[in-house]
Amino acid sequence: MRYHKIPDETVRRLPIYLRGLMFSAEKGNEHISSQSLAASVGVHSWQIRKDFSYFGDFGTPGVGYNIGKLAREIQKILRLDVIKRAALVGVGDLGSALLAYPGFGAYGLDIVAAFDIDPQKIGRTISGVEIEDVSGIDSLVQRSIFLAIVAVPRQVAQQTVDRLVAAGIKGVLNFAPCKVEAPKRVKVITLDIAMELARLPYYMPVS
Amino acid sequence: MRYHKIPDETVRRLPIYLRGLMFSAEKGNEHISSQSLAASVGVHSWQIRKDFSYFGDFGTPGVGYNIGKLAREIQKILRLDVIKRAALVGVGDLGSALLAYPGFGAYGLDIVAAFDIDPQKIGRTISGVEIEDVSGIDSLVQRSIFLAIVAVPRQVAQQTVDRLVAAGIKGVLNFAPCKVEAPKRVKVITLDIAMELARLPYYMPVS
DNA sequence: CCATGTGAAGGTATTCACAGCC
DNA sequence: GGCTGTGAATACCTTCACATGG
């Protein structure tokens, strides 16, 4: 089975593997076994082998996987080799934190534009990105930006997404805690931080 | 099937339903059908009915669900009726944004303590919470806080969790992009923001 | 020998379709 | 007529065990 259909759950784990592979590469390794990778990322080795099996042979029995080759392949599958630039809409507390967040770089991603409606904020620079008026959204595609992060209040999340969709954006990471609609051609992932915290007590021991 | 084993995926959706129910209650409704709830939260109606079926009859055929009763039951299942207070460790950009984040209230959750190692920050108040030295972690349980949010740099995430575990914390929401270990009795959910962004390009159309 | 890759088995979650109740 | 609750069917994902290859 080569390159056919990669399960969603596998796609969800690919960034984890990428992180682990890069970490191992930094330490100067060239090869890594599914077992060592398993230990470093916290996923079972058989799961890793199964996941990798969906997109071809990268391993050498008795040796392991070539780290560089495998990392590049994962980046290619996730399309991180092509999509590198993202825009941020909404530079409030969360938006500012995202601008300062160093973690995107590990995946080759970078926030290169930021928008807000507050005239007080427009023109200011945060973490090296100048805040523009939201009208700038309309020309995102001309600037080769196809990915957007929405960090606006819930009440204006849908209209923000509508505008991004109209501008030709193809993917949205939405932090607003609500459903947002978009045409099928636009992928939306909603990440509700409070929701994650809210399901935690369920799993906590009672005593 | 009453109250036996609620699937993890159902637990993951319960907070979404809670949000939808509260929204509907605010509008003055007393009952809601699985169809209307479905429309407002973006989950199919059969999925909702199936999910609710795991914990008893709350619906009346021809009428729908009693919103208040159902909401209270979901809160009880998630244990949000008991666990209401959380602590934050790491008051950097992300931590500060979390302190200011209004979304936790919808689930009855509240960040009531914050810790950092930076003497510059200790003693200052952000969003009504005074920042304390990390040594205060050790007395969290005495203050009836069993839930912690970790927003520290990756390099110190594990030791932070270790200290929280030693203090008797029972649940951790970890924002550091790495694996953290904890005894089985402590539930850890890791939320890697960059990872969510990284899997988005995979789903974006190629053209 | 050691580690991969994968069929097969087992488990979990989603989707359907409809009986039963208001 | 409208809507719930749920067995049954289906799809999906995980786990195992081992044949295969360097």
Side-chain angles (χ1 to χ4, degrees):
Chain A
M1 230 181 266
R2 300 285 130 82
Y3 243 113
H4 288 312
K5 176 63 186 170
I6 301 177
D8 282 344
E9 292 302 306
T10 297
V11 172
R12 170 173 264 120
R13 283 186 294 265
L14 289 182
I16 306 183
Y17 300 148
L18 199 49
R19 232 169 44 191
L21 290 172
M22 287 177 163
F23 186 69
S24 186
E26 272 170 28
K27 295 204 293 189
N29 297 321
E30 196 167 336
H31 291 268
I32 192 170
S33 68
S34 58
Q35 286 227 347
S36 345
L37 186 56
S40 91
V41 300
V43 175
H44 287 290
S45 62
W46 63 72
Q47 181 74 81
I48 291 177
R49 290 201 303 279
K50 183 58 125 182
D51 283 341
F52 290 174
S53 79
Y54 291 115
F55 52 93
D57 325 279
F58 287 90
T60 311
V63 178
Y65 300 92
N66 179 307
I67 293 175
K69 205 171 134 196
L70 182 54
R72 275 191 301 280
E73 186 64 19
I74 292 176
Q75 283 172 325
K76 200 171 146 197
I77 290 167
L78 292 174
R79 302 192 56 238
L80 292 170
D81 56 338
V82 176
I83 306 293
K84 294 171 173 295
R85 294 146 60 78
L88 170 73
V89 188
V91 191
D93 291 303
L94 182 58
S96 305
L98 292 173
L99 277 175
Y101 189 65
F104 298 118
Y107 302 108
L109 291 165
D110 197 11
I111 300 179
V112 297
F115 303 96
D116 206 293
I117 45 162
D118 185 351
Q120 298 278 312
K121 290 176 184 164
I122 294 165
R124 293 180 58 186
T125 296
I126 296 187
S127 301
V129 180
E130 188 184 331
I131 303 172
E132 308 168 44
D133 182 83
V134 280
S135 58
I137 288 175
D138 303 333
S139 51
L140 275 176
V141 167
Q142 284 147 57
R143 294 161 69 182
S144 306
I145 301 173
F146 301 97
L147 187 56
I149 301 171
V150 171
V152 302
R154 197 188 56 206
Q155 294 77 7
V156 292
Q158 182 63 60
Q159 68 196 60
T160 301
V161 170
D162 290 344
R163 188 158 190 176
L164 286 164
V165 167
I169 278 291
K170 292 179 187 152
V172 173
L173 180 61
N174 169 44
F175 283 90
C178 61
K179 179 188 69 162
V180 292
E181 315 240 33
K184 280 194 307 294
R185 67 172 188 280
V186 178
K187 175 70 176 181
V188 177
I189 292 179
T190 291
L191 183 48
D192 183 344
I193 291 172
M195 234 179 67
E196 297 296 315
L197 190 67
R199 72 192 172 91
L200 204 34
Y202 176 84
Y203 296 100
M204 288 163 50
V206 176
S207 81
Chain B
M1 230 180 266
R2 300 286 128 84
Y3 244 113
H4 288 311
K5 176 64 186 169
I6 300 179
D8 282 345
E9 291 302 307
T10 297
V11 173
R12 172 172 262 122
R13 283 186 294 264
L14 288 182
I16 306 184
Y17 300 148
L18 199 49
R19 230 169 48 191
L21 290 171
M22 288 178 161
F23 186 69
S24 185
E26 273 171 27
K27 295 203 293 188
N29 298 321
E30 197 168 333
H31 290 268
I32 192 170
S33 68
S34 58
Q35 285 225 349
S36 344
L37 186 56
S40 91
V41 301
V43 175
H44 288 290
S45 61
W46 67 70
Q47 180 75 81
I48 291 177
R49 290 201 304 277
K50 182 59 124 183
D51 283 342
F52 290 174
S53 79
Y54 292 115
F55 52 93
D57 323 281
F58 287 90
T60 311
V63 178
Y65 301 92
N66 179 306
I67 293 174
K69 207 172 133 197
L70 183 54
R72 275 190 302 278
E73 185 65 19
I74 291 177
Q75 283 171 327
K76 202 172 144 198
I77 290 168
L78 291 175
R79 303 191 53 238
L80 293 170
D81 56 338
V82 177
I83 306 294
K84 295 171 172 297
R85 295 147 60 79
L88 170 72
V89 188
V91 192
D93 291 301
L94 182 58
S96 305
L98 292 173
L99 277 175
Y101 188 65
F104 298 119
Y107 302 107
L109 291 165
D110 198 12
I111 300 178
V112 297
F115 303 97
D116 205 293
I117 45 163
D118 183 352
Q120 298 279 313
K121 290 176 184 166
I122 294 163
R124 294 181 58 185
T125 295
I126 295 187
S127 303
V129 180
E130 188 184 331
I131 302 170
E132 308 168 44
D133 184 83
V134 282
S135 57
I137 288 175
D138 303 333
S139 51
L140 275 176
V141 167
Q142 285 147 58
R143 295 162 69 182
S144 306
I145 301 173
F146 302 96
L147 187 56
I149 301 171
V150 171
V152 303
R154 195 188 58 205
Q155 294 77 8
V156 293
Q158 183 61 60
Q159 68 196 61
T160 301
V161 169
D162 290 344
R163 189 158 191 176
L164 287 164
V165 167
I169 279 289
K170 293 181 186 151
V172 173
L173 180 61
N174 169 44
F175 282 91
C178 60
K179 179 187 70 162
V180 292
E181 315 241 30
K184 279 193 307 294
R185 68 173 187 283
V186 178
K187 174 69 177 182
V188 177
I189 292 179
T190 291
L191 182 49
D192 183 343
I193 291 173
M195 234 179 68
E196 297 296 314
L197 191 66
R199 72 192 171 93
L200 202 34
Y202 176 84
Y203 296 100
M204 289 163 49
V206 176
S207 78

